[in-house]
Structures are given as structure tokens and as C-alpha cells.
């Protein structure tokens, strides 16, 4: 009897031990690959840089970026104005008392994105300056402390859901110029790792948790770009583990750890405005500016033509990548008129040519410079799409196409003939009367 009791007691102890061990749920760092499919099909998204820096529009105290009279002033990036034009902390952080975007209308933003053909939207929930666009429980350097007071993210999320766009947040997990322990630009004294750890545990991880719990994003856009930064593989994995433990759908970009993204991120992030010339082995995207700056810069007149941006989109699509095109809203909440015009021009082109872009996949045909291809199965069968970005009299496809070929926009029939194992497509001059990209659909 005593022996039986002893066995029960022992089993009891073992059980307690087991329960304790199994309490912390083991989380897989890898997301189910099927959750990345929407991203691969999406091709085109809107990036938005918006925050306190938007008030300054790239100028401070009579100086406008880029300004080489400052040692670090040679950049157009208006969201960098604080360290670049040496704006004092008190002045910059005091902008919190001025940020009042009374004309903010997220419905109209998302409608513009949707009409442009964009399938997802990513906004700076917190950029390097440390300011949060939502009412954060973790920091008072947030929208709730501005005259506007109201959370900016929830209505944007609601608008994205209404118009069927996926949505994500840019979160500066490494640089934070307001937090006493956050990372600073490279020309400042290096933040000791034990100090950075305090910021990491006190603000960075808890705010990411908040973003997921409050808004359930489809993706998180983290940002490191220097080889040297505080995001070690251990911190990278700690952050990935946190995201995975809270969401089974949220995608994570490669810039979570620029020097070593590892195998558990969901897509690669190219350098700013960088367009690869070859296929990559993971889904990817290019973050791109419409002006030189990301944040709205009132004196940056370098607006890219819509047609050039469509070429970037087509280049990326033909290589299995996405194009995340940025718009920097003004501080009052309105979108700059030049951005709206370009979005509408791109949307008009995609309206008639989007079949060749959305949901398409790359081919392995090597084509001459300026000619791109994609393919897609439709009710007509398997289509090959050929994008002509400048006038040419013929195109040779290294395959036998036995069906018909036509201009996607107009249905104009186009001659093709099979010679040997190739197909030669002959193009009339009249096709290139304006400088927009001509798309052929052939099979
Ligand atoms: O420093 C940032 C910059 O302000 C902007 O957010 C871009 C977007 O890709 N990322 C960093 C630089 O690459």
C-alpha cells in the first residue's frame, strides 16, 4: 500500500514537471507557404510614409534637403530631416503638438490605391523618429498625444477591408530616435547593446505585439539596411517568434535583418528603388519612391513619370517580384496632387492591361532589353503576354506559338509565323503612336 502511494506521489511529481515543461507553446518560425500566395499574385502595392516629419516637408529653419552645409545633409529623404538637418530634439519632438491631420480620409486613400490597381497597402506605423500613428499603450510619443488624438490606423484598416486590399505596417524595430535606448544613425555614438536591449524589450517588441493584437496585419515591414546593426540572428528570431505566436498569416520581410534574413522570412525586400535583372529564389518586392523622398517633400520636384513607373512594375512582374510604390501624404492628411495624377494614369493603363500582370507568372524566355514576358492560364487557355516598352518592328519568341496573337488593349490582330523552333511576331509601326507600353496576348 505504501509502495502504491509512493508511485502515485512520484507520478504526481512527474506530471507537474511535464505540465511545466509543456506550458511555453513551441512556435514554428516558418509560416505556411500557402499564406504567401496572395502576395505573389498581388504585384502592386502602396507604401505610405507619414508622420511628424510630414509637417516639415523637407525644410527646416531656412534649409531644404538636400543641404550639404550640414555634414549629413546630402539626402532627399524628408523623413530623415531630424538628424540630417540637425533639428533639435525639443523642436522635433514638439511637433507632436502640431500634428493635426483634419483632412485625413482613409476611404479616399484606399480608393486611390484600389483604382491604381494596387492590391495591398503598407503604412509607417512608426518610422525612425519613434512616433506611433496609433494610440500606443507602450509609449506616449503617439497620435493620442497630438491635437488630433484619434487613432489613424484603425480607420485605414477598415477602409482596406472595405475595398478588399491587404494591409501591413512598416515598423522601425531598430532605429528609434526618440527612445533613449533606441538605435541612432551611424554618425552618432554606437548604442551599447545592453542599452539597445532595454529599448528592444520595453518598446520594440511590445509595440509589434500591439500592432498585431489591435490590427491583425497581413504583413509587417521591418527596416534594417546597414551591415552593422543591433538585430542579431537571436533578436531576429525572437521577433519572428513573437509575430508567429500571434498571427498565422502575417508576412515578414527580409529587412528584419538585412545582413542575415535567414530562412524564415516570407519575402525579400530589395534596396530602395532597386530592380533586379534576374529571378530570385523567394518572393520579393522593390520599395520605390515616386519623388526622390519617401515622406512628402514640398520642394522635391523629381516626380517620376507614370510610364516609367509602369516599366518598373512590368520589369518586376516579369521576374516574379512586386512593386511597392510610395506616396507621402501631406501633414493635413491629403495626398499630393502629382501623386494622384500618376496613380490614376497607372490605374488607367492597368485597367486594360492588368490581365497580363495580376496573377501572372514569369516565363524563362530570354528577351532583348525593354521586352518583358509573363504567362497566365485563362479561359482561352495558356497565354503568353509580351510587353513592348519601345518601338520594335518584330519580336522573336523562342517557342512555337500556334494560336493567335493580338494587342491586349484593342484586340488588333498581330501576324506571327513559326520559323524553325521559334515564333516571329511582326509589329506595325502604328502600334507605337504614343509612348505607353504595348501588351500582346499570344498563344
Ligand atoms: O531609412 C529608411 C527610409 O527612410 C525609408 O523608410 C526606406 C524605405 O525602404 N527604408 C530606409 C532606407 O532604406
Amino acid at each position: 500500500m505504501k509502495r502504491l502511494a509512493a508511485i502515485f506521489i512520484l507520478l504526481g511529481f512527474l506530471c507537474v514537471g511535464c505540465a511545466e515543461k509543456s506550458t511555453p507553446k513551441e512556435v514554428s518560425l516558418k509560416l505556411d507557404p500557402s499564406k504567401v500566395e496572395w502576395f505573389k499574385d498581388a504585384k502592386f502595392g502602396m507604401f505610405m510614409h507619414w508622420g511628424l516629419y510630414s509637417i516639415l516637408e523637407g525644410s527646416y529653419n531656412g534649409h531644404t534637403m538636400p543641404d550639404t552645409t550640414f555634414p549629413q545633409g546630402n539626402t532627399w529623404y524628408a523623413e530623415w530631416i531630424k538628424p540630417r538637418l540637425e533639428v533639435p530634439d525639443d523642436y522635433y519632438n514638439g511637433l507632436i503638438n502640431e500634428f493635426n491631420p483634419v483632412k485625413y480620409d482613409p476611404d479616399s486613400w484606399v480608393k486611390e490605391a484600389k483604382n491604381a490597381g494596387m492590391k495591398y497597402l503598407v503604412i509607417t506605423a512608426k518610422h525612425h523618429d519613434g512616433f506611433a500613428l496609433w494610440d500606443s499603450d507602450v509609449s506616449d510619443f503617439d497620435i493620442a498625444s497630438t491635437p488630433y488624438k484619434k487613432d489613424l490606423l484603425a480607420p485605414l484598416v477598415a477602409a482596406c477591408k472595405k475595398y478588399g486590399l491587404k494591409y501591413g505596417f512598416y515598423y522601425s524595430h531598430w532605429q528609434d530616435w526618440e527612445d533613449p535606448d533606441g538605435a541612432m544613425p551611424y554618425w552618432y555614438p554606437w548604442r551599447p547593446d545592453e542599452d539597445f536591449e532595454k529599448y528592444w524589450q520595453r518598446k520594440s517588441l511590445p509595440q509589434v505585439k500591439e500592432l498585431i493584437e489591435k490590427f491583425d496585419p497581413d504583413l509587417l515591414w521591418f527596416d534594417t539596411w546597414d551591415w552593422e546593426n543591433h538585430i542579431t540572428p537571436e533578436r531576429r528570431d525572437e521577433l519572428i517568434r513573437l509575430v508567429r505566436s500571434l498571427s498565422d498569416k502575417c508576412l515578414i520581410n527580409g529587412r528584419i535583418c538585412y545582413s542575415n534574413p535567414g530562412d524564415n522570412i516570407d519575402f525579400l525586400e530589395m534596396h530602395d528603388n532597386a530592380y533586379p535583372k534576374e529571378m530570385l529564389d523567394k518572393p520579393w518586392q522593390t520599395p520605390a519612391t515616386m519623388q526622390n523622398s519617401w515622406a512628402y517633400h514640398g520642394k522635391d520636384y523629381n516626380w517620376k513619370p507614370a510610364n516609367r513607373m509602369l516599366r518598373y512594375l512590368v520589369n518586376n512582374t516579369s521576374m516574379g517580384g512586386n512593386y511597392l510604390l510610395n506616396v507621402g501624404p501631406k501633414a493635413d492628411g491629403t495626398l499630393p496632387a502629382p501623386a494622384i495624377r500618376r496613380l490614376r494614369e497607372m490605374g488607367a493603363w492597368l485597367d486594360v492591361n492588368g490581365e497580363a500582370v495580376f496573377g501572372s507568372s514569369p516565363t524563362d524566355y530570354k528577351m532583348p532589353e525593354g521586352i518583358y514576358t509573363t504567362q497566365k492560364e485563362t479561359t482561352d487557355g495558356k497565354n503568353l503576354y509580351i510587353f513592348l516598352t519601345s518601338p520594335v518592328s518584330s519580336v522573336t519568341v523562342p517557342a512555337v506559338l500556334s494560336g493567335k496573337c493580338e494587342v491586349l488593349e484593342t484586340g488588333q490582330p498581330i501576324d506571327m509565323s513559326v520559323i524553325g523552333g521559334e515564333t516571329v511576331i511582326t509589329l506595325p509601326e502604328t502600334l507605337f503612336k504614343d509612348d505607353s507600353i504595348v501588351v500582346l496576348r499570344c498563344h
Side-chain angles (χ1 to χ4, degrees):
M1 203 51 199
K2 268 186 190 165
R3 255 183 46 205
L4 207 59
I7 288 169
F8 279 136
I9 289 167
L10 186 66
L11 279 177
F13 273 122
L14 285 177
C15 242
V16 170
C18 287
E20 270 170 7
K21 273 208 183 104
S22 61
T23 315
K25 208 177 124 215
E26 212 21 72
V27 178
S28 165
L29 296 188
K30 258 207 181 352
L31 188 66
D32 172 352
S34 68
K35 302 285 167 87
V36 192
E37 287 305 311
W38 73 261
F39 180 84
K40 292 203 268 182
D41 286 344
K43 315 296 184 197
F44 195 23
M46 183 182 276
F47 208 4
M48 306 191 94
H49 278 64
W50 197 37
L52 298 183
Y53 41 77
S54 311
I55 298 174
L56 300 180
E57 299 189 354
S59 299
Y60 169 69
N61 205 17
H63 296 272
T64 292
M65 305 172 79
D67 185 332
T68 50
T69 62
F70 292 89
Q72 303 296 337
N74 193 15
T75 175
W76 284 97
Y77 285 11
E79 66 283 3
W80 274 79
I81 194 166
K82 183 184 181 202
R84 297 283 186 178
L85 296 195
E86 299 174 12
V87 183
D89 278 355
D90 285 355
Y91 181 87
Y92 187 89
N93 294 347
L95 292 174
I96 202 166
N97 301 313
E98 284 178 39
F99 193 64
N100 195 13
V102 287
K103 296 189 180 156
Y104 177 48
D105 175 10
D107 219 73
S108 72
W109 286 14
V110 178
K111 260 195 274 180
E112 287 295 349
K114 175 136 184 136
N115 290 338
M118 292 160 155
K119 308 288 187 239
Y120 60 111
L121 186 150
V122 182
I123 189 165
T124 50
K126 184 198 86 166
H127 202 263
H128 308 332
D129 64 355
F131 175 71
L133 294 191
W134 77 101
D135 180 0
S136 173
D137 299 333
V138 175
S139 161
D140 286 338
F141 197 52
D142 68 353
I143 191 68
S145 308
T146 67
Y148 188 74
K149 289 193 170 56
K150 290 169 285 188
D151 171 32
L152 296 169
L153 299 186
L156 186 59
V157 166
C160 285
K161 287 184 176 161
K162 177 171 161 192
Y163 293 103
L165 268 73
K166 301 276 186 190
Y167 58 93
F169 302 123
Y170 172 109
Y171 183 82
S172 181
H173 63 317
W174 168 50
Q175 297 268 317
D176 191 309
W177 307 330
E178 188 264 341
D179 191 283
D181 299 310
M184 297 295 291
Y186 70 88
W187 60 91
Y188 284 74
W190 178 255
R191 182 77 72 209
D193 205 60
E194 57 275 22
D195 290 350
F196 182 79
E197 181 64 17
K198 291 183 206 150
Y199 155 75
W200 184 247
Q201 297 298 340
R202 188 186 56 238
K203 185 170 180 183
S204 196
L205 294 176
Q207 282 200 328
V208 170
K209 184 165 185 278
E210 258 193 318
L211 282 172
I212 299 176
E213 287 179 342
K214 290 190 177 187
F215 307 110
D216 193 24
D218 296 301
L219 71 83
L220 283 170
W221 207 110
F222 296 112
D223 206 358
T224 57
W225 62 92
D226 271 352
W227 285 99
E228 259 193 88
N229 58 62
H230 296 79
I231 309 300
T232 57
E234 290 72 33
R235 288 203 177 99
R236 175 199 69 198
D237 288 352
E238 188 178 5
L239 181 51
I240 295 180
R241 189 169 294 110
L242 174 72
V243 175
R244 303 290 190 230
S245 69
L246 297 167
S247 169
D248 66 357
K249 66 164 189 179
C250 183
L251 309 186
I252 296 174
N253 72 340
R255 285 214 210 164
I256 190 170
C257 183
Y258 174 77
S259 53
N260 186 357
D263 284 337
N264 297 313
I265 54 132
D266 304 302
F267 63 92
L268 294 169
E269 200 73 62
M270 298 301 105
H271 281 295
D272 298 356
N273 295 302
Y275 303 98
K277 290 269 166 254
E278 57 203 31
M279 302 276 288
L280 304 172
D281 58 3
K282 268 197 188 300
W284 60 272
Q285 74 181 354
T286 299
T289 54
M290 229 190 241
Q291 302 179 274
N292 283 342
S293 176
W294 296 94
Y296 179 66
H297 187 318
K299 293 183 180 154
D300 174 0
Y301 305 119
N302 303 289
W303 292 91
K304 293 170 191 165
N307 200 31
R308 180 163 15 130
M309 297 190 283
L310 283 170
R311 282 169 202 218
Y312 293 139
L313 169 67
V314 163
N315 174 78
N316 285 13
T317 304
S318 74
M319 269 169 298
N322 290 7
Y323 185 52
L324 183 67
L325 180 60
N326 184 74
V327 172
K330 293 185 179 183
D332 65 2
T334 56
L335 301 183
I340 294 179
R341 173 173 59 96
R342 283 159 178 78
L343 290 172
R344 292 182 185 175
E345 280 183 33
M346 295 177 82
W349 184 87
L350 280 163
D351 215 28
V352 287
N353 293 296
E355 175 189 318
V357 172
F358 303 115
S360 71
S361 53
T363 73
D364 50 18
Y365 302 147
K366 288 262 166 295
M367 302 302 281
E369 180 82 22
I371 300 179
Y372 303 93
T373 58
T374 61
Q375 56 186 336
K376 192 163 84 178
E377 197 82 38
T378 65
T379 42
D380 300 342
K382 191 168 179 183
N383 292 313
L384 170 69
Y385 300 96
I386 305 172
F387 301 79
L388 307 168
T389 64
S390 54
V392 277
S393 52
S394 70
V395 176
T396 303
V397 178
V400 174
L401 302 175
S402 49
K404 57 176 190 156
C405 189
E406 62 193 359
V407 177
L408 185 56
E409 183 178 26
T410 58
Q412 179 182 351
I414 296 294
D415 286 344
M416 52 179 196
S417 44
V418 176
I419 304 171
E422 300 183 326
T423 305
V424 177
I425 300 171
T426 308
L427 302 157
E429 240 177 75
T430 47
L431 260 192
F432 305 102
K433 282 225 161 130
D434 63 33
D435 67 352
S436 64
I437 302 169
V438 175
V439 184
L440 308 177
R441 173 173 54 195
C442 312
H443 55 261

